[in-house]
Structures are given as structure tokens and as C-alpha cells.
């Protein structure tokens, strides 16, 4: 049985005071034995949020990393620096990084390898654009992104990696994938992982859905058999909405998974 994971991607939001205030609200209301919960603040707030999360079951994640250990890479942050700040998770290959900062599948592969080498749990984001979906190219895009990210996965415990299926057309748009669209994509991803990394890894891997998840639609999305949690942007900035999503993930633990 896979434990669902709900992660909040705070993106480029919140001052230290605002981040501290949100964490205080999340503590208690968003802690659950049935769900893994993480928040991913901007780099500037990692240390402060990490301190405030000490003793809580909410984990800390970063929104990106660079693959080198140290050196003259102005503006970048290494995996060891993230671990030092208290991070357990790191988001890799978010579509906003691919779109606005030219991140390629090859770069995603290097970042994933660096996260694995440094004991961080990667949340690898993949997903098609609207043009790709409308052009019938969804699975082609997912295959290309997965092949890139997992190009050097030999020797890894791939079941520990988290993949986030985030259709680009659903991110920050208020338009979520239907439960059927999400399930179809998640089942495809799990099948692909099974062929590349083995059946055991595919069964163990958590595949999150991301894209306009909110308090109203979380339950039905999380009820899908291959949806193992959510990567949440906008709604993760509101403690009550995020709490409702965590509760929906906890309730999804009772879903019947029928793999015929
Ligand atoms: C995200 O940032 O990964 C995301 C899914 O954002 P939103 O929930 O706002 O669509």
C-alpha cells in the first residue's frame, strides 16, 4: 500500500513573516499518520521554515537544485546545501522551470541524479502542454520526459522517487484534469516505470497529480487508483484549503485498487 504524499509548492511567494505564519497554521491541522505532507518554500525561507517544522510530521522540500556540489555557479544551490537547510524533498523539472528557464530533459536527468546521490527525495515533474494533448501527443511527451529523467537510473532505488504528473494546461489555470484523464496518465507512467525500473519500483512509486488541485476537487482526483497524492501550488498557500486536501488524501487510503 503506497502512502499518499501531499506537497505544497509555494513558488515565489511569502516573506519570512508570511511563511512563518503559514507554517504555524499548518502544524497540527495538516499532520496525519496516513499521509506524508511536505512544504516547499522559496530558498530564502527554507531555514526558517525548517526550524519551525522541527518536531512536526511535515517535511521540508526545495523547489529546485543544481547538480554540482560547489563552485562558481552564481545563483545556484547545491544538494548538500539543501540537506544542510533541513530539506528532505526537492522538486525537479517543474514546468515553470522548463518554460521560463529553459530546463531540458538532460538537465532534469542531472538534477535527479544529484538528488539521488545526496539522499534527497526527488519530486520529478512531467506533463504535456495543451497543444500536445490536443494533438494526441500526451503519451509521447510523457515518454520523452521520463526517458530523459531516468536515462541513468541503473542502481537507483527508483521506488523512492516521486513523479508528479502535472499537465501544463492545468497548472495555475483553475482547470484541472478530469479524474479519468489523471488516472489514464498515471497508469501510463506506472507502466513505463515498470518496464524501465522493474515491477517492484513501479508498485512502490508514488505518482502525484498536480494542476489546480483545490479543496473542492482533491477527493475525486485522489480516489483514482494510481493517484498517490498531490503537488499543490496556489491552494497550498491557504492553510484551510491545504488541510482539506491532506484530509482528502488520508481518506483516499481506503480506496479499492483493482489492478486487472
Ligand atoms: C504546481 O505549482 O505544481 C501547481 C500544480 O500549481 P497549481 O496547483 O497552482 O496549479
Amino acid at each position: 500500500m503506497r502512502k499518499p504524499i501531499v506537497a505544497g509548492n509555494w513558488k515565489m511567494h511569502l516573506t519570512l513573516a508570511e511563511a512563518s505564519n503559514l507554517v504555524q497554521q499548518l502544524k497540527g491541522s495538516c499532520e496525519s499518520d496516513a499521509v506524508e505532507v511536505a512544504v516547499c518554500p522559496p530558498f530564502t525561507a527554507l531555514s526558517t521554515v525548517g526550524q519551525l517544522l522541527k518536531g512536526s510530521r511535515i517535511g521540508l522540500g526545495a523547489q529546485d537544485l543544481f547538480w554540482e556540489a560547489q563552485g562558481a555557479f552564481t545563483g545556484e544551490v547545491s544538494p548538500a546545501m539543501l540537506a544542510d537547510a533541513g530539506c528532505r524533498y526537492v522538486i525537479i523539472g517543474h514546468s515553470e522551470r522548463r518554460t521560463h528557464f529553459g530546463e531540458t530533459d538532460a538537465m532534469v536527468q542531472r538534477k535527479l541524479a544529484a538528488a539521488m546521490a545526496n539522499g534527497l527525495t526527488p519530486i520529478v515533474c512531467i506533463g504535456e502542454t495543451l497543444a500536445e494533448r490536443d494533438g494526441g501527443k500526451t503519451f509521447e511527451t510523457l515518454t520523452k520526459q521520463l526517458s530523459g529523467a531516468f536515462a541513468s537510473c541503473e542502481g537507483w532505488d527508483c521506488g523512492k522517487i516521486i513523479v508528479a504528473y502535472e499537465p501544463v494546461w492545468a497548472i495555475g489555470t483553475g482547470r484541472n484534469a478530469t479524474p479519468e484523464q489523471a488516472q489514464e496518465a498515471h497508469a501510463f507512467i506506472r507502466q513505463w516505470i515498470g518496464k524501465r525500473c522493474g515491477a517492484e519500483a513501479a508498485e512502490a512509486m508514488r505518482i502525484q497529480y498536480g494542476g489546480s488541485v483545490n479543496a473542492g476537487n482533491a477527493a475525486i482526483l485522489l480516489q483514482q487508483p494510481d493517484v498517490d497524492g498531490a503537488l499543490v501550488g496556489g491552494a497550498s498557500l491557504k492553510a484551510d484549503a491545504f488541510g482539506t486536501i491532506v484530509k482528502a488524501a488520508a481518506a483516499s487510503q481506503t480506496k479499492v485498487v483493482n489492478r486487472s
Side-chain angles (χ1 to χ4, degrees):
M1 183 81 139
R2 296 181 292 272
K3 191 175 199 173
I5 167 150
V6 175
N9 175 13
W10 293 0
K11 310 196 187 195
M12 199 172 74
H13 293 291
L14 307 186
T15 61
L16 287 183
E18 290 164 345
S20 304
N21 183 34
L22 179 56
V23 173
Q24 298 295 10
Q25 293 179 62
L26 297 180
K27 276 165 73 173
S29 69
C30 290
E31 298 189 55
S32 160
D33 282 337
V35 185
E36 225 170 283
V37 180
V39 293
C40 304
F43 289 136
T44 48
L46 282 177
S47 188
T48 300
V49 170
Q51 290 296 326
L52 291 171
L53 286 177
K54 283 217 167 104
S56 119
R57 273 171 296 184
I58 301 174
L60 184 69
Q63 299 174 18
D64 188 24
L65 53 56
F66 189 54
W67 53 78
E68 294 291 346
Q70 60 186 358
F73 302 105
T74 302
E76 296 296 334
V77 177
S78 76
M81 289 170 176
L82 297 183
D84 191 37
C87 290
R88 202 185 310 160
Y89 307 91
V90 59
I91 297 172
I92 294 172
H94 191 281
S95 70
E96 285 154 15
R97 295 220 53 86
R98 294 180 191 254
T99 304
H100 303 308
F101 303 100
E103 214 158 281
T104 63
D105 291 327
M107 290 160 80
V108 170
Q109 183 270 325
R110 293 187 79 172
K111 292 185 176 197
L112 176 53
M116 293 301 280
N118 285 274
L120 294 164
T121 298
I123 299 176
V124 183
C125 301
I126 59 172
E128 80 287 358
T129 61
L130 188 57
E132 287 163 342
R133 175 158 284 268
D134 289 347
K137 292 191 157 60
T138 296
F139 296 147
E140 198 181 305
T141 300
L142 297 181
T143 300
K144 181 179 155 293
Q145 292 174 333
L146 286 166
S147 305
F150 286 83
S152 66
C153 66
E154 284 74 21
W156 292 352
D157 187 351
C158 290
K160 295 230 163 82
I161 297 170
I162 297 163
V163 168
Y165 168 61
E166 298 207 303
V168 178
W169 48 271
I171 299 178
T173 59
R175 177 185 167 191
N176 61 283
T178 65
E180 294 75 23
Q181 286 171 327
Q183 170 56 26
E184 184 186 39
H186 283 229
F188 176 84
I189 293 164
R190 199 176 304 287
Q191 208 174 46
W192 190 94
I193 293 292
K195 287 192 203 128
R196 181 71 179 94
C197 312
E200 210 176 303
E203 192 56 34
M205 177 177 282
R206 272 93 55 88
I207 305 175
Q208 294 176 308
Y209 169 76
S212 297
V213 175
N214 59 39
N217 61 24
I220 182 78
L221 287 160
L222 288 160
Q223 278 299 327
Q224 303 310 305
D226 286 290
V227 176
D228 309 310
L231 182 55
V232 187
S236 72
L237 297 171
K238 297 176 208 126
D240 52 349
F242 196 62
T244 302
I245 295 166
V246 171
K247 283 187 186 71
S252 77
Q253 276 294 63
T254 55
K255 70 189 168 191
V256 178
V257 178
N258 181 10
R259 298 193 191 289
S260 51

